[in-house]
Amino acid sequence: MNRVRIVIFNAALGPLDYRVPQGMQVEPGSVVVAPLGPRQITGIVWEAERLPAAEVPDAKLRPLIGVLPVAPLKAQLRRLVEWTADYYCAPLASVARMVLASGGALKGPATMTEYRLTDHEPDRMTPQRLRAMDALQGEQATIRELSELAGVSDGVLRGLVSQGVLEPVEVDCDRPYPRAQPDFAVPDLNDSQQHAADRFIEAMQKGGFAPFLLDGVTGSGKTEVYFEAISEALAKDRQVLVLLPEIALTEAFLRRFENRFGSSPVVWHSSLKSTERRRAWRAIATPPAKGGAQVVVGARSALFLPYANLGLIVVDEAHEVSFKQDEGVRYNARDVAVMRARFEEIPAILASATPALESLQMAESGIYEKIELASRFGGATMPEISTLDLRETPPERGRWLAPPLVKEMEARLERSEQSLLFLNRRGYAPLTLCRHCGYRFQCPNCSAWLVEHRLSSRLACHHCGYETQPPATCPECGTEDCLVACGPGVERIADEVREIMPQARVALVTSDTLNSPEKAAEFVQLAEERLVDVIVGTQLVTKGFHFPELTLVGVVDADLGLEGGDLRAAERTYQQVAQVAGRAGRGSKPGEVLIQTRHPEAAVIAALAAGDRDAFYDAETEARRHAGAPPFGRWAAIIVSSEDEAEARNAARAIGGTAPHLPDVAVLGPAPAPMSLLRGRYRYRLLINARRSAQVQNVIREWLGALDFPRSVRVSIDIDPYSF
Ligand code: ADP
Ligand code: ZN
């Protein structure tokens, strides 16, 4: 009897057993099609031998339908999937699904049909057709994608196809990517860069798991150094995965990569078109020696792809919060990257100027090898950082920039140097209220204020995407023209700069304005050619950019991140300010940083101003040790949600009421979660603080496994949570 157990992509169902029909070749990792009720489903063969006694007797097993023509997933990758599911308490199915990138990459053929506009006119114009034709200028994609883009039905588009207004284009998803050359433009490294590169290359030649923390100040040339490790992998026909925290950073990365290696790497992120995704997936599953992908640059989801011959993983800006996924499978890509390197037995490089305390601790305890780059490349000096006490030199009424900062900006403008203002708040104002009755605009689905976006004349929720037009009258008291914007967002700061320095050319950099690779490239070009005097931006401008003429950085509100006092507030503030400060003085001219604050005495701010990184990390280490927080203890969160507030509360209480009493695990709560209403669901939270040695996942699994809730209640587990 040939029985296999397959993992299917339905989190509600566990692995299922099937019979392998005569003559069908399957092995662990094979991707197969199987019957489920009346449907056909895709799954991955997980176990094929030594299966434990099964619930379903042999005679009742249904046979597999077929095997898909892709290489079976390797044991290393299956182990990574198992580890991730186990560590993060997530269903195996949900993790396995990420490997197949939602299945889309596999099922279809190597060729797909996309459509694009021709210059034919339809015989009869309808409003729908007009809308579609307007929206699809310059686009080429599958019918399904075009219909989403244009907001019309497939039927409308098919009509346009039959009239020759849209024409089919066959896309070959197996066409190879251009080859990168290991020695296209080899740089001269300085001594400490050379030492770092040598260590990476030695580790790659030796083989085996080797985790590195590349701890180098901003502008020290970390990228340049890990490029040498990539060069070694290219020469050996091994694949490299580079994880970046932000798609917006990809554009600048691609250009540097091209300059060094003569062609672009393969890009992977969630908004690829289906043809691009299929092409990338197939290339990744093919060894470079056979024309497959060499280097993949991607968002965190690139971690679970079936690399044919992975030789190196790099996580750039490894401290970034965006590596933590907070939906679906709640994992931290930085940590999973290291685990993948371990299973693949290859080196992993975590690069950062402001490493997470957890990473530093791993280096301290000898698990990671720490490699330091202590100074900037090419004689550039670190910027001079000082605080601006807003209580002593307040901005004028209705303004947010204090006079000393404005004075420095004006001096820069006179010398044709650039300034950068950082405020981590999109939009114009974080809160809008009625000056007559005090009514505040709140999201109907979330416990959050609506943020005014003046550029797009919208009030928007940054949590669920709800948007509405600012009304002419107050919805509460009916007064006309009564709305007042409270507090600043970057749009408002940009307006202020335009008012006080009308001759300055201002660039606003947020995910609202830099929302495509083209726009990102355009901004970088303008800034590099010095056609921009003042850059105003959110955290998007804190990393990666290298503008030699930028000599002044102003932090508009350093206290913002410290409010709320969550576990990582101090660390995040430190990282953001240190990163954005790192944009100043990267060329031959020295940089200066002014931090606006009401709490210059706060430990983080004082350490930043003193340029004393160790002081910050030491203080933070002590605080964490005292609190039993990571890396000394562990946190986990259980989030209970329902559309019905009482139901959520009761479920959370039921969980709290059965909390285990263990010496090394403390349970706090339940209490309303910080976002107590999110996307229409009421949320309660329990926090679990455990000693490092505690088997906290097992405790949670056993505890929750004994409880049963209605389907309308969602219980999610967040191991090593970030946002609390
Ligand atoms: P980091 O990532 O550490 O902030 P980068 O790798 O961006 O630093 O390097 C900062 C700047 O210095 C970049 O413009 C980079 O091209 C340049 N640079 C660094 N190392 C070298 C080198 N060995 N040769 C030439 N340019 C270098
Ligand atoms: Zn909302």
Side-chain angles (χ1 to χ4, degrees):
M1 176 68 206
N2 210 346
R3 174 193 286 260
V4 290
R5 185 157 294 173
I6 75 172
V7 169
I8 64 167
F9 309 124
N10 180 336
L13 295 173
L16 300 174
D17 287 5
Y18 287 90
R19 178 166 60 78
V20 184
Q22 282 287 321
M24 186 183 283
Q25 291 294 325
V26 301
E27 56 184 291
S30 292
V31 184
V32 293
V33 181
L36 182 71
R39 290 185 304 133
Q40 293 193 358
I41 48 154
T42 308
I44 301 172
V45 175
W46 217 257
E47 289 169 81
E49 290 157 20
R50 285 180 280 114
L51 276 176
E55 291 156 26
V56 185
D58 283 358
K60 287 225 173 134
L61 286 183
R62 297 180 73 181
L64 290 177
I65 296 169
V67 189
L68 291 179
V70 290
L73 306 182
K74 294 201 215 160
Q76 297 97 303
L77 180 52
R78 281 179 283 127
R79 285 179 66 197
L80 180 81
V81 169
E82 282 170 359
W83 181 87
T84 306
D86 191 56
Y87 185 87
Y88 292 106
C89 298
L92 197 56
S94 310
V95 185
R97 195 191 177 99
M98 296 195 281
V99 174
L100 299 196
S102 304
L106 275 169
K107 276 186 208 145
T111 355
M112 290 175 77
T113 310
E114 292 188 331
Y115 293 85
R116 66 176 174 218
L117 286 177
T118 63
D119 46 20
H120 287 274
E121 290 285 327
D123 54 8
R124 192 171 50 84
M125 192 58 96
T126 65
Q128 295 251 335
R129 286 180 168 178
L130 190 61
R131 174 138 64 104
M133 290 173 65
D134 270 347
L136 301 183
Q137 290 297 336
E139 301 288 346
Q140 178 182 317
T142 58
I143 288 286
R144 187 203 268 182
E145 286 160 343
L146 291 180
S147 93
E148 226 165 76
L149 200 70
V152 299
S153 72
D154 286 14
V156 173
L157 297 181
R158 300 230 176 262
L160 290 174
V161 173
S162 69
Q163 306 225 335
V165 179
L166 280 175
E167 68 178 358
V169 183
E170 291 302 307
V171 178
D172 173 8
C173 299
D174 271 347
R175 71 193 189 288
Y177 289 87
R179 306 297 287 176
Q181 302 158 47
D183 46 13
F184 183 77
V186 183
D188 280 329
L189 300 184
N190 65 28
D191 287 350
S192 46
Q193 289 181 333
Q194 190 63 54
H195 166 75
D198 288 347
R199 283 298 301 127
F200 298 150
I201 292 169
E202 274 166 40
M204 293 172 77
Q205 288 173 345
K206 188 160 149 250
F209 175 51
F212 289 98
L213 175 61
L214 177 57
D215 181 359
V217 300
T218 52
S220 58
K222 295 183 289 296
T223 318
E224 227 61 55
V225 169
Y226 73 68
F227 273 3
E228 293 320 289
I230 294 179
S231 163
E232 168 71 14
L234 289 174
K236 297 277 156 61
D237 273 336
R238 304 286 305 263
Q239 292 172 307
V240 182
L241 164 63
V242 181
L243 289 180
L244 297 181
E246 204 107 43
I247 303 179
L249 289 178
T250 313
E251 208 53 31
F253 180 90
L254 295 185
R255 280 204 307 163
R256 280 183 78 168
F257 188 93
E258 229 170 277
N259 290 339
R260 172 66 183 82
F261 298 111
S263 77
S264 279
V266 176
V267 178
W268 181 273
H269 53 76
S270 57
S271 40
L272 290 181
K273 291 196 294 181
S274 49
T275 50
E276 294 166 333
R277 183 170 0 184
R278 185 162 300 176
R279 181 180 178 208
W281 197 95
R282 294 170 80 96
I284 286 164
T286 309
K290 292 188 181 154
Q294 297 169 293
V295 179
V296 179
V297 183
R300 55 190 177 216
S301 58
L303 252 183
F304 291 96
L305 297 174
Y307 296 87
N309 183 16
L310 194 58
L312 172 70
I313 301 177
V314 178
V315 186
D316 205 350
E317 312 286 0
H319 61 279
E320 272 296 317
V321 181
S322 56
F323 283 123
K324 173 72 167 70
Q325 168 144 311
D326 270 332
E327 271 172 8
V329 182
R330 295 162 181 258
Y331 67 97
N332 188 325
R334 177 195 70 207
D335 298 336
V336 178
V338 174
M339 287 314 288
R340 177 137 202 191
R342 198 171 128 191
F343 290 129
E344 302 274 353
E345 299 179 27
I346 58 172
I349 302 172
L350 308 183
S352 174
T354 52
L357 212 58
E358 283 91 334
S359 304
L360 281 173
Q361 192 63 27
M362 293 294 263
E364 201 98 309
S365 46
I367 298 170
Y368 296 173
E369 177 174 340
K370 180 156 97 167
I371 297 193
E372 283 174 283
L373 298 174
S375 52
R376 284 187 156 177
F377 177 77
T381 50
M382 294 304 283
E384 193 66 45
I385 303 182
S386 41
T387 51
L388 248 179
D389 190 336
L390 290 175
R391 295 167 306 188
E392 283 169 16
T393 54
E396 281 172 39
R397 233 183 101 76
R399 298 239 153 116
W400 314 96
L401 304 174
L405 175 55
V406 173
K407 201 171 127 234
E408 291 299 330
M409 291 171 64
E410 282 167 344
R412 294 310 183 289
L413 185 61
E414 239 157 63
R415 301 204 293 264
S416 305
E417 294 171 12
Q418 295 169 317
S419 308
L420 184 162
L421 296 176
F422 166 64
L423 176 67
N424 203 15
R425 229 189 223 154
R426 286 163 51 210
Y428 184 84
L431 169 68
T432 303
L433 46 78
C434 166
R435 89 175 86 232
H436 188 68
C437 72
Y439 175 83
R440 296 167 166 213
F441 284 82
Q442 199 174 353
C443 176
N445 315 314
C446 304
S447 43
W449 307 125
L450 292 177
V451 178
E452 181 186 357
H453 286 250
R454 204 162 274 192
L455 290 177
S456 53
S457 358
R458 287 270 188 282
L459 295 173
C461 173
H462 286 180
H463 300 276
C464 71
Y466 172 86
E467 284 192 344
T468 178
Q469 240 152 356
T473 57
C474 171
E476 186 75 16
C477 69
T479 312
E480 274 176 47
D481 288 328
C482 62
L483 305 188
V484 251
C486 296
V490 276
E491 290 181 10
R492 195 168 199 177
I493 299 298
D495 277 1
E496 183 172 335
V497 175
R498 288 187 194 103
E499 263 168 49
I500 51 186
M501 295 165 57
Q503 51 316 10
R505 294 159 299 182
V506 180
L508 181 59
V509 180
T510 87
S511 52
D512 302 304
T513 57
L514 236 62
N515 51 13
S516 72
E518 294 76 34
K519 289 198 178 138
E522 199 178 307
F523 161 69
V524 170
Q525 194 179 354
L526 283 178
E528 278 177 353
E529 289 174 6
R530 274 202 266 169
L531 297 171
V532 171
D533 301 306
V534 182
I535 300 165
V536 180
T538 56
Q539 43 84 28
L540 213 58
V541 295
T542 60
K543 312 164 277 252
F545 293 120
H546 179 77
F547 303 133
E549 294 300 323
L550 203 165
T551 59
L552 175 69
V553 166
V555 178
V556 176
D557 185 351
D559 308 334
L560 197 61
L562 292 173
E563 289 161 11
D566 79 61
L567 169 73
R568 293 173 205 271
E571 184 180 22
R572 217 166 29 232
T573 297
Y574 183 83
Q575 288 167 335
Q576 269 180 357
V577 175
Q579 289 286 345
V580 73
R583 298 312 111 203
R586 292 169 73 93
S588 52
K589 296 172 189 151
E592 187 182 354
V593 181
L594 289 178
I595 303 176
Q596 297 198 140
T597 174
R598 277 180 195 79
H599 305 286
E601 72 293 339
V604 198
I605 311 274
L608 281 162
D612 191 348
R613 184 179 120 150
D614 291 345
F616 166 71
Y617 278 112
D618 290 349
E620 186 64 12
T621 302
E622 269 327 295
R624 299 267 192 105
R625 200 194 300 275
H626 188 73
F632 305 100
R634 308 193 42 199
W635 286 101
I638 299 174
I639 296 146
V640 185
S641 72
S642 163
E643 286 176 15
D644 182 71
E645 133 85 61
E647 189 179 58
R649 186 170 2 109
N650 291 337
R653 282 188 184 154
I655 293 175
T658 55
H661 295 280
L662 295 166
D664 50 359
V665 178
V667 179
L668 316 171
M675 290 286 300
S676 59
L677 176 65
L678 181 65
R679 295 190 194 90
R681 299 181 72 88
Y682 293 89
R683 290 153 40 96
Y684 280 79
R685 189 184 64 177
L686 295 103
L687 281 175
I688 297 145
N689 187 207
R691 296 230 186 97
R692 276 208 71 83
S693 54
Q695 297 291 317
V696 68
Q697 287 93 338
N698 290 344
V699 171
I700 293 175
R701 267 190 287 263
E702 222 166 273
W703 170 16
L704 297 185
L707 297 168
D708 216 5
F709 298 106
R711 287 173 63 98
S712 47
V713 173
R714 205 179 293 154
V715 178
S716 41
I717 301 167
D718 194 355
I719 302 290
D720 307 335
Y722 260 60
S723 48
F724 71 89

